[in-house]
């Protein structure tokens, strides 16, 4: 998102520079900001990392090298691949489009990375248009994968809740049913004791009569 904002500001500066109404002072001022923004884009590309792993550019970067695979479930088949390597560009010379073509932007112009006349500003316009397009392509791929991940998370959460409910049904006691069973058993026991007590009394009475 921040790279998109930077690219649009660069487009605005290049558009302003692509006019004969500018003089050397105006082109110098526009180019100074333009070059600073390009440097920031380059810094974002080279330094964005997670867990010490470079993500966008550099040696053994993840997304620039090809599809990145995420495990999203408990089985081997439940994976998700995110591939934005085509939009990021392939390794090589600046004209090969390394890092959204940022290297090519840095090399363009009589003084690298700046514009000093209308022609150079127009050249940068075309490069920035490609930059905006490539960033948009990468963002759309990432956004689609993020949306899919959200649905995957929801589905896994539902599976977890259903599994816990099934486990509870199998393992947890039904307090009302168990209380009812206990009461029934207590009543049966008390009734048995009462019957035995009566039987013992009857035996004692018969023994007294016989004596």
């Amino acid at each position: 998102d921040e790279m998109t904002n930077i690219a649009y500001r660069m487009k605005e500066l290049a558009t302003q520079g692509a006019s004969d109404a500018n003089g050397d002072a105006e082109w110098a001022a526009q180019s100074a900001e333009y070059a600073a923004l390009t440097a920031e884009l380059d810094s974002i590309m080279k330094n964005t990392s997670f867990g010490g792993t470079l993500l966008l550019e550099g040696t053994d970067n993840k997304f620039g090298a090809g599809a990145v695979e995420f495990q999203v479930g408990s089985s081997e088949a439940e994976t998700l691949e995110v591939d934005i390597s085509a939009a990021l560009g392939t390794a090589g010379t600046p004209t090969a489009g390394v890092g959204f073509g940022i290297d090519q932007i840095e090399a363009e112009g009589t003084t690298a990375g700046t514009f000093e006349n209308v022609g150079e500003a127009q050249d940068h316009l075309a490069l920035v248009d490609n930059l905006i397009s490539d960033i948009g392509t990468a963002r759309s791929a990432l956004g689609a994968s993020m949306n899919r991940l959200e649905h995957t998370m929801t589905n896994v959460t539902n599976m977890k809740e259903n599994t816990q409910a099934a486990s509870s049904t199998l393992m947890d006691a039904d307090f009302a049913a168990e209380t009812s069973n206990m009461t029934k058993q207590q009543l049966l026991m008390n009734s048995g004791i009462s019957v035995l007590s009566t039987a013992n009394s009857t035996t004692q009475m018969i023994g007294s009569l016989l004596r």
Side-chain angles (χ1 to χ4, degrees), residues 104-116 120-121 123-124 127:
Q104 187 177 358
I105 293 173
E106 289 181 318
E108 186 66 37
T110 304
T111 302
T114 64
F115 44 85
E116 299 176 356
E120 290 181 357
D123 290 340
H124 277 280
L127 295 175

Side-chain angles (χ1 to χ4, degrees), residues 68-82 148-149 152:
V68 178
E69 186 173 281
F70 296 92
Q71 185 71 32
V72 295
S74 59
S75 68
E76 182 181 355
E78 294 178 276
T79 59
L80 183 150
E81 285 191 351
V82 181
R148 180 182 169 185
L149 274 174
T152 301

Side-chain angles (χ1 to χ4, degrees), residues 13-57:
L13 290 168
T15 302
Q16 292 172 357
S19 171
D20 279 327
N22 293 287
D24 292 340
E26 286 76 16
W27 276 315
Q30 292 159 356
S31 292
E33 182 179 355
Y34 187 90
L37 292 173
T38 306
E40 180 57 27
L41 282 177
D42 191 53
S43 176
I44 292 172
M45 289 294 299
K46 287 182 169 61
N47 297 312
T48 298
S49 63
F50 179 81
T53 301
L54 294 174
L55 298 180
L56 303 176
E57 194 175 311

Side-chain angles (χ1 to χ4, degrees), residues 2-174:
E2 195 56 36
M3 293 182 77
T4 300
N5 294 336
I6 292 173
Y8 278 125
R9 177 55 182 163
M10 292 172 66
K11 177 69 179 291
E12 182 181 347
L13 290 168
T15 302
Q16 292 172 357
S19 171
D20 279 327
N22 293 287
D24 292 340
E26 286 76 16
W27 276 315
Q30 292 159 356
S31 292
E33 182 179 355
Y34 187 90
L37 292 173
T38 306
E40 180 57 27
L41 282 177
D42 191 53
S43 176
I44 292 172
M45 289 294 299
K46 287 182 169 61
N47 297 312
T48 298
S49 63
F50 179 81
T53 301
L54 294 174
L55 298 180
L56 303 176
E57 194 175 311
T59 305
D60 298 326
N61 70 81
K62 288 295 183 182
F63 287 106
V68 178
E69 186 173 281
F70 296 92
Q71 185 71 32
V72 295
S74 59
S75 68
E76 182 181 355
E78 294 178 276
T79 59
L80 183 150
E81 285 191 351
V82 181
D83 190 354
I84 60 171
S85 57
L88 285 176
T90 55
T93 62
T95 54
V98 179
F100 296 128
I102 295 171
D103 290 353
Q104 187 177 358
I105 293 173
E106 289 181 318
E108 186 66 37
T110 304
T111 302
T114 64
F115 44 85
E116 299 176 356
N117 52 58
V118 171
E120 290 181 357
Q122 290 176 339
D123 290 340
H124 277 280
L125 272 175
L127 295 175
V128 174
D129 283 338
N130 290 334
L131 170 67
I132 292 172
S133 176
D134 288 341
I135 291 176
T137 300
R139 288 186 68 184
S140 67
L142 290 172
S145 298
M146 288 169 65
N147 289 338
R148 180 182 169 185
L149 274 174
E150 288 181 1
H151 291 295
T152 301
M153 289 168 59
T154 302
N155 185 52
V156 171
T157 300
N158 290 336
M159 292 171 62
K160 176 185 176 184
E161 291 176 352
N162 291 336
T163 301
Q164 288 177 333
S167 175
S168 176
T169 300
L170 292 171
M171 300 179 64
D172 295 349
D174 185 331

